Amino acid sequence: MSNQEIDELRAKIDNVNLQLLKLINERGQLVQEIGEIKKSLGLEMYDPIRERDMLNLIANYNEGPFEIATMQHIFKEIFKAGIELIEDDHRKALLVSRKKKPENTVVQIDGEAIGREKKTIIAGPCAVESFEQVEAVAIALKSQGLSIMRGGAFKPRTSPYDFQGLGFEGLKILRAVADKHDMKVVTEIVNPAHVEEALNYIDVIQIGARNMQNFELLKEVGSQKKPVLLKRGLSATIQEFIYAAEYIMSQGNGNIILCERGIRTYEKATRNTLDITAVPILKKETHLPVLVDVTHSTGRKDLLLPAAKAALAIEADGIMVEVHPDPAVALSDAMQQLNIPEFEHFMNSLKSSRLLAAD
Ligand code: PEP
Ligand code: MN
């Protein structure tokens, strides 16, 4: 076969390609017309019975050389493109997605903004143990210019025999200390039935890693207005994390702060593996602020500062870190909480690294 013959055949193929192009677009226009009618009648765009009929027609009329399965595969792609053309692009985009809302969400916590240029540091004990313990931490936070304190009152512990938290008594302690020192409180709620009562005491509801897919809890916190700090599940993919946030937002509450807290991997050097690139991915895919919990992700005091620096450098909106006046006797996470001088050193190092504004 000469080169000239190849060129002639190629010209014919180009011609067929152009005809296909025209026909596929013509088909798209017809689909759009049907789409408009279906929309006005309130009908579903995708009709599996109609699709089956079209595939049968193709099978009946296929004369080869392509096999029926091959042709059906190609046509299914064309059908899919048609449906995508008419489905409301807006409806498909998640509420938490940047596609839906290009500008950043700034979560307001009673005058404190999370998600603006100024980074947020949320610190406090793993668990609330007493008024004195929480107050000692509050004073240390205040002297560093911080105003959002964390502390667990309902502790989801691995062993049922470990300290489970002070419950509502703990929430009352948090509120009393916060009011005395003009601070805000972030605390975990684990039971949907506790949400309403807890709202009397707290400023931000934390959903812990173990409850990221507790859908009833997500729906409950979504149906009220307080900001929600949602932690990534122990083994959750970023997509699952985003869907968990969508559960909250779909109920009407868009005040969501995401928190990367490490995921479980085979690595044992750290308690979890901090997925640092989850931060820019979440910020790209969603419009929500993203924090990094350096305590639970690393589980190691010596890694808190480098992990916090990495988080700020990769443009997280802030950090969560655990602080206890006497970690050696803490009722939970004794190994990884900073004592107050260590916390001061942590804060001063971040400020002098210029990753955190010194104010
Ligand atoms: C916590 O922040 O108190 C906590 C239990 O963290 P996580 O849910 O991320 O394990
Ligand atoms: Mn802890």
Side-chain angles (χ1 to χ4, degrees):
M1 191 179 280
S2 68
N3 278 347
Q4 195 195 341
E5 277 173 306
I6 291 178
D7 286 345
E8 280 170 16
L9 290 170
R10 282 183 170 165
K12 282 186 184 170
I13 284 185
D14 281 343
N15 195 23
V16 171
N17 283 346
L18 292 177
Q19 286 182 53
L20 283 172
L21 180 69
K22 194 158 170 281
L23 287 171
I24 291 169
N25 278 320
E26 254 177 55
R27 187 186 187 283
Q29 279 168 2
L30 291 169
V31 171
Q32 277 175 325
E33 281 179 43
I34 294 179
E36 285 304 316
I37 299 169
K38 282 190 164 183
K39 203 166 151 190
S40 69
L41 296 174
L43 297 174
E44 273 296 316
M45 296 297 163
Y46 177 64
D47 179 350
I49 297 173
R50 167 72 183 147
E51 181 143 334
R52 169 44 59 211
D53 287 345
M54 291 194 293
L55 290 174
N56 288 346
L57 191 73
I58 283 154
N60 291 342
Y61 281 82
N62 184 40
E63 291 176 348
F66 287 112
E67 291 191 8
I68 289 174
T70 307
M71 287 316 272
Q72 286 183 331
H73 176 74
I74 293 169
F75 271 87
K76 269 182 82 81
E77 285 302 310
I78 296 173
F79 300 166
K80 204 168 107 206
I83 294 292
E84 280 170 8
L85 198 62
I86 55 174
E87 260 187 350
D88 185 355
D89 215 36
H90 229 56
R91 208 190 63 191
K92 275 191 300 175
L94 296 183
L95 298 169
V96 297
S97 69
R98 278 248 182 244
K99 200 168 163 193
K100 193 78 171 179
K101 177 173 175 273
E103 64 279 12
N104 287 336
T105 287
V106 175
V107 175
Q108 293 288 348
I109 304 168
D110 220 356
E112 284 293 318
I114 302 190
R116 281 208 208 290
E117 207 164 320
K118 183 169 182 272
K119 307 289 184 181
T120 304
I121 309 288
I122 300 177
C126 181
V128 175
E129 296 166 9
S130 68
F131 184 94
E132 293 69 27
Q133 171 235 14
V134 176
E135 186 170 41
V137 176
I139 292 168
L141 263 59
K142 271 259 121 150
S143 71
Q144 287 292 332
L146 306 186
S147 60
I148 310 179
M149 179 171 55
R150 61 147 288 140
F154 296 95
K155 296 302 300 175
R157 304 302 299 281
T158 303
S159 163
Y161 305 115
D162 285 340
F163 176 59
Q164 302 286 306
L166 298 180
F168 282 102
E169 203 45 49
L171 299 190
K172 288 177 191 163
I173 292 174
L174 282 169
R175 184 75 269 150
V177 174
D179 285 348
K180 185 169 170 194
H181 295 276
D182 189 22
M183 299 186 81
K184 328 279 175 246
V185 164
V186 182
T187 194
E188 179 168 358
I189 300 298
V190 296
N191 183 343
H194 289 164
V195 171
E196 205 178 311
E197 193 180 341
L199 295 179
N200 297 323
Y201 305 105
I202 69 184
D203 302 297
V204 179
I205 305 171
Q206 179 170 316
I207 302 293
R210 288 153 196 81
N211 274 315
M212 189 206 81
Q213 283 189 320
N214 181 338
F215 300 119
E216 293 310 312
L217 184 59
L218 298 178
K219 285 192 244 175
E220 184 62 31
V221 300
S223 64
Q224 53 80 54
K225 292 193 173 59
K226 282 260 159 111
V228 178
L229 189 153
L230 176 66
K231 290 190 142 195
R232 182 174 180 181
L234 305 179
S235 308
T237 64
I238 291 174
Q239 196 56 41
E240 288 162 345
F241 191 17
I242 292 174
Y243 273 119
E246 185 74 5
Y247 258 92
I248 299 170
M249 195 155 178
S250 66
Q251 297 296 312
N253 187 358
N255 293 314
I256 307 165
I257 305 145
L258 300 175
C259 182
E260 160 62 36
R261 48 78 72 208
I263 46 175
R264 188 168 281 190
T265 69
Y266 51 79
E267 182 52 64
K268 291 213 167 69
T270 49
R271 175 164 161 181
N272 289 289
T273 297
L274 173 56
D275 182 6
I276 197 73
T277 53
V279 176
I281 295 172
L282 289 166
K283 290 192 70 72
K284 191 171 165 199
E285 298 291 326
T286 80
H287 48 79
L288 302 172
V290 182
L291 304 184
V292 171
D293 174 344
V294 291
T295 302
H296 295 98
S297 53
T298 65
R300 283 175 51 163
K301 274 194 188 192
D302 60 331
L303 299 180
L304 299 179
L305 185 57
K309 286 181 179 171
L312 296 176
I314 210 162
E315 295 183 353
D317 295 288
I319 303 290
M320 180 182 270
V321 63
E322 285 184 350
V323 186
H324 191 288
D326 189 359
V329 298
L331 296 175
S332 56
D333 285 351
M335 292 298 292
Q336 66 205 43
Q337 301 194 64
L338 293 174
N339 64 28
I340 288 168
E342 287 165 343
F343 168 66
E344 284 163 354
H345 176 258
F346 172 86
M347 288 298 296
N348 293 336
S349 306
L350 283 184
K351 287 175 187 166
S352 60
S353 75
R354 293 180 173 275
L355 290 160
L356 196 64
D359 50 12

